[in-house]
């Protein structure tokens, strides 16, 4: 029944998924075309606006006194008679100025010397005439090019101070609150164009970026004085609303046509899917249900063989079912065998874990009667138990042996090899008369002569003279120890390595010396610490390990090891550790 419900739902689900996918692709295509068309439109509008604004800026720049005129308009706009389109008043003012000052020729060409001869009234009338002339010029340009706005302004503090604006038929220059501002109108600084305006004042050139607000494109051009300074800025705003609406309508029509074609195609696909796929799948489902009930594999295989008249995926599925039925009994037998093997391995791992746990000293404080040092060690086994071990023991009243090691391999063989190695090291050390290098050489030869499983062990061993803080140590292929100085933090001590123990006979090891003073610490570890890794396959690493050590430099050995384990576990996240996490730390309290 479940299969029948699935096949019925599949008949609708597959065409629906294909339809949704194709519709989404079509939407993306339409949206991409819309964006391209919009981008082209905005670029065209920007180019068109650049032509308009340059023409308007050139008209203002014709006046040699434009810088002075802008200053005068800004300072005296309340005293000026703004005649705008009153031709009679305009002519009267021009006639009066030329009568009073016959030396004035073309108003745009008045120089500094001529302006200096004008009295206050003459300057006011001159400024009014020039303003009226520029307003008429802007009106002409707006009537020809038909932008939405054409204006000029200055930036004063945090405000725009409007100068000359252009109007077309039916529009009026009005005070603040309207859209076409008269001289002296101020508005707050428009933050959306701050970068463009600052670029104009900084470079004296039009900005190299395009400003647009929804369906409006705004272009700016500086008006330069004779000295090359920015006297004013001309702005023009062009609307592309009608063209954008046309582009939107065209995109909607294209999508609607595509959607109809997609629905028709999906209907045909649904019918073909039922005939060529779903019907034979239902037949195969019936065969498999009978096999599930009677477990008659031969009959199921014969029925499935008859399905080969259907070609393609249906035939392949029938062959796969036949192979599945044939292999099922064999798989069941293998499952039984694998289960037995897993139980055997689980028992072996439990034995290895017990061996490892029982061999390691775990009572802390280790030497409660000794006040000269504080020591702590820990071993956290991985899922697949390895052969990590640590050891510490007093050789005599003034000498403490420290050992940390890592056996290759996993399971019981590694645990037994660990037990043998640990015992040999302890026995040879307690026999006396040997340095760590000599002890490692002796144990290496013994392991090589007795080894049968081709296992080896990396070992770091040191003998601490408690009364002086001196440590004589040797390294057999193990990780570098970290020494923490009381006032300088932890660092790795990279001494010379010898080979791991058990690789070949006759290996030689070298004694090194480390000196601890009161308050100094020694941190030993196996590769399970720096090689802990997370889901991204990143290693915890020596750098992170050293950072944790230095972040808890004043901690006791027990606290230090707990913080290190917490940091490694946090880094690894939920990932099971592959290797044991084994650490030993000792701090010299006094000498």
């Amino acid at each position: 029944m479940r299969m029948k419900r699935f096949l019925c739902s599949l008949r609708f689900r597959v065409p629906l998924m294909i339809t949704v996918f194709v519709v989404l692709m079509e939407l993306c295509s339409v949206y991409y075309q819309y964006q391209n068309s919009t981008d082209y439109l905005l670029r065209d509008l920007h180019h068109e606006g650049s032509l308009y604004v340059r023409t308007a800026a050139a008209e203002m720049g014709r006046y040699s006194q434009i810088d002075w005129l802008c200053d005068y308009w800004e300072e005296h706009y309340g005293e000026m008679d703004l005649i705008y389109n009153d031709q009679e008043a305009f002519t009267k003012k021009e006639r009066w100025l030329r009568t009073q000052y016959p030396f004035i020729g073309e108003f745009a060409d008045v120089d500094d010397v001529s302006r200096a001869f004008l009295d206050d009234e003459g300057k006011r009338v001159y400024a009014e005439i020039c303003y009226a002339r520029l307003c008429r010029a802007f009106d002409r340009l707006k009537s020809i090019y038909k932008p939405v706005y054409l204006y000029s302004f200055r930036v004063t503090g945090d405000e725009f101070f409007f100068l000359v604006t252009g109007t077309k038929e039916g529009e009026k220059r009005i005070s603040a609150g309207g859209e076409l501002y008269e001289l002296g109108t101020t508005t707050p600084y428009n933050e959306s164009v701050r970068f463009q305006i600052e670029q104009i004042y900084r470079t004296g050139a039009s900005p190299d970026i395009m400003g647009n607000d929804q369906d409006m494109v705004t272009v700016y051009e500086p008006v330069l004085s004779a000295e090359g300074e920015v006297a004013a800025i001309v702005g023009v705003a062009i609307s592309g609303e009608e063209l954008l609406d046309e582009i939107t309508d065209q995109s909607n029509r294209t999508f609607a046509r595509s959607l109809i074609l997609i629905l028709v195609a999906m209907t045909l696909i649904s019918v073909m899917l039922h005939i060529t796929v779903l019907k034979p799948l239902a037949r195969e489902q019936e065969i498999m249900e009978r096999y599930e009930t009677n477990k008659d594999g031969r009959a199921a295989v014969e029925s499935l063989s008859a399905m080969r008249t259907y070609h393609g995926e249906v035939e392949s599925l029938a062959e796969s079912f036949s192979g599945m039925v044939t292999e099922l009994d064999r798989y069941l037998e293998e499952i039984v065998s694998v289960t037995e093997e897993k139980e055997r391995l689980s028992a072996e791992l439990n034995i290895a874990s017990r061996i490892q746990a029982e061999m390691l000293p775990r009572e802390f404080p280790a030497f409660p009667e000794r006040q000269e040092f504080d020591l702590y060690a820990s071993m956290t086994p991985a899922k697949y138990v390895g052969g990590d071990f640590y050891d510490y023991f007093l050789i005599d009243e003034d000498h403490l042996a420290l050992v940390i090691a890592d056996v290759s391999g996993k399971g019981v063989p590694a645990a037994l090899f660990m037990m043998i190695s640990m015992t040999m090291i302890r026995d040879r050390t307690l026999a006396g008369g040997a340095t760590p290098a000599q002890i490692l050489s002796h144990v290496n030869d013994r392991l090589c002569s007795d080894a049968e499983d081709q296992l080896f062990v990396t070992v770091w061993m040191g003998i601490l003279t408690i009364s002086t803080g001196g440590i004589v140590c040797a390294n057999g292929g193990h990780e570098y120890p970290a020494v923490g100085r009381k006032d300088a933090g932890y660092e790795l001590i990279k001494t010379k390595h010898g080979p791991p123990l058990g690789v070949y006979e006759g290996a030689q090891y070298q004694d090194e010396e480390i000196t601890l003073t009161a308050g100094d610490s020694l941190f030993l570890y196996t590769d399970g610490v720096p090689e802990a890794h997370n889901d991204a396959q990143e290693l915890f690493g020596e750098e992170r390990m050293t950072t944790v050590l230095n972040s808890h430099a004043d901690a006791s050995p027990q606290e230090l090891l707990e913080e290190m384990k917490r940091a490694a576990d946090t880094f690894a996240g939920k990932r099971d550790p592959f290797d044991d996490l084994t650490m030993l730390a000792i701090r010299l309290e006094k000498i």
Side-chain angles (χ1 to χ4, degrees), residues 461-477:
M461 179 181 182
I463 297 177
L464 168 66
T465 302
I466 301 171
S467 60
T468 65
I471 299 177
V472 178
C473 58
N475 194 330

Side-chain angles (χ1 to χ4, degrees), residues 85-152:
N85 296 321
D86 188 341
Q87 181 61 39
E88 182 179 350
F90 177 77
T91 304
K92 184 177 179 181
K93 286 180 181 290
E94 278 193 341
R95 187 180 303 115
W96 179 87
L97 189 64
R98 293 186 186 281
T99 301
Q100 295 294 321
Y101 304 98
F103 55 83
I104 291 182
E106 174 57 40
F107 290 103
D109 297 331
V110 172
D111 56 18
D112 293 342
V113 176
S114 299
R115 176 173 54 80
F117 282 102
L118 300 178
D119 60 11
D120 290 343
E121 185 179 4
K123 291 176 181 179
R124 178 178 60 78
V125 174
Y126 172 67
E128 290 172 351
I129 292 172
C130 292
Y131 184 78
R133 281 173 169 261
L134 283 172
C135 284
R136 291 184 177 187
F138 272 43
D139 290 349
R140 255 191 335 272
L141 292 174
K142 191 169 185 181
S143 298
I144 295 172
Y145 298 130
K146 295 181 173 48
V148 179
Y149 304 115
L150 177 62
Y151 53 92
S152 62

